[in-house]
Amino acid sequence: PGASNAQVKMIQVDAPKAGDVLSPTGTYAIHWQFINLPVSEVSLALLRDNEPVATPNGSTRETYQLDWNLGLQPPDPGNYKVAVETLDHAHRGLSGLFAVEEQGWIEPRYPLQGMQLENNSSQEIRWKRVGNIQKLDLALLPLGGGGKQTLAAGVDAKLEKLEVVLNPGAAGQYKIEFKYTVAGGFSYVYSEPFTIQVAP
C-alpha cells in the first residue's frame, strides 16, 4: 500500500490472457515484460493447478517473447497458466488462466491396404496422434455390410498402437474404424481395406 509504480519490481506476463482458448496444434506467443527490473534470462513453465507439468517448446525465443508451438508437445485438454521466472528465482510472473481444448486427428498407420491377414491372428493396430486426442475406440468393420465388431474401447490415444486379435469368423474385406472425441463430438477415420482369410 502506498507504493508507487517505480517501486514495484515484477515480471508481467501479457499473453496468454485470461480466458484465451488455445488449439493444441497451433502456435501462440507467450509475451512478458520486466517492470523496473533489468532484462534477464528467464525460465518458463506450464502450470496446471499451480503445479508445473511441462516446459513450453518454442520455435523462436526473444528477450520478451516465446513463440510456443503446442504441436511439438501438445498439453492435455484443460486449464493452465504460464510462469515466467528469473533464473535466480527472485522474480516470477504468471499469465492469466487459459484453456487448451481437445483438438486434432488420428492418422491410421496399420493394417496397410491389400494386406492378407489370418483369422484369429494377433495384430498390432497402429496410428499417429496429432494434437491432444485423449481416447480411441477401435472396431473391425466389414466392407460387405454387417455388424462391426468392437476391438477395444477407451484406448489411450498416446500409445499409438494396440495389440488385438482379429477374429470375425468370416473371410472378406475389412477396415479398422477409429472413433475419437473432438470439439465436443465424435469423429471417425478408417484404415485402408485389408483381407482376412479363414482356413477351410
Side-chain angles (χ1 to χ4, degrees):
S4 69
N5 287 340
Q7 295 171 312
V8 176
K9 296 181 178 181
M10 62 181 289
I11 297 174
Q12 180 174 303
V13 183
D14 303 315
K17 292 182 172 61
D20 282 354
V21 179
L22 277 55
S23 164
T25 60
T27 298
Y28 299 89
I30 300 172
H31 186 271
W32 61 94
Q33 55 182 312
F34 299 94
I35 307 297
N36 299 315
L37 288 174
V39 173
S40 60
E41 284 289 308
V42 295
S43 64
L44 284 80
L46 187 64
L47 308 181
R48 188 166 191 172
D49 298 325
N50 293 318
E51 293 295 327
V53 294
T55 300
N57 293 286
S59 52
T60 63
R61 177 157 176 185
E62 301 172 3
T63 305
Y64 305 101
Q65 180 169 308
L66 173 80
D67 288 335
W68 180 23
N69 182 350
L70 277 72
L72 295 177
Q73 190 180 5
D76 289 341
N79 295 318
Y80 295 91
K81 292 182 179 182
V82 169
V84 179
E85 187 173 16
T86 55
L87 298 185
D88 63 4
H89 307 295
H91 300 280
R92 183 174 189 249
L94 291 176
S95 74
L97 187 68
F98 61 92
V100 176
E101 57 188 346
E102 184 173 10
Q103 264 194 2
W105 59 90
I106 296 295
E107 297 175 1
R109 293 294 173 90
Y110 185 90
L112 303 175
Q113 183 169 1
M115 293 188 77
Q116 306 278 328
L117 304 178
E118 295 294 327
N119 186 55
N120 208 33
S121 64
S122 181
Q123 300 290 331
E124 188 177 76
I125 307 301
R126 295 196 294 268
W127 62 90
K128 177 175 174 56
R129 170 184 179 253
V130 178
N132 62 358
I133 302 301
Q134 297 294 290
K135 299 291 183 182
L136 285 178
D137 294 343
L138 303 178
L140 183 63
L141 187 68
L143 294 193
K148 63 184 176 183
Q149 177 186 17
T150 299
L151 299 173
V155 178
D156 185 350
K158 296 177 189 175
L159 295 175
E160 296 194 327
K161 62 183 179 181
L162 185 71
E163 194 85 14
V164 299
V165 174
L166 300 181
N167 185 19
Q173 282 200 308
Y174 293 85
K175 288 184 178 182
I176 301 294
E177 177 187 88
F178 299 80
K179 175 185 176 184
Y180 55 95
T181 57
V182 62
F186 293 109
S187 191
Y188 299 83
V189 293
Y190 301 89
S191 72
E192 296 293 339
F194 57 90
T195 300
I196 293 181
Q197 302 171 326
V198 176

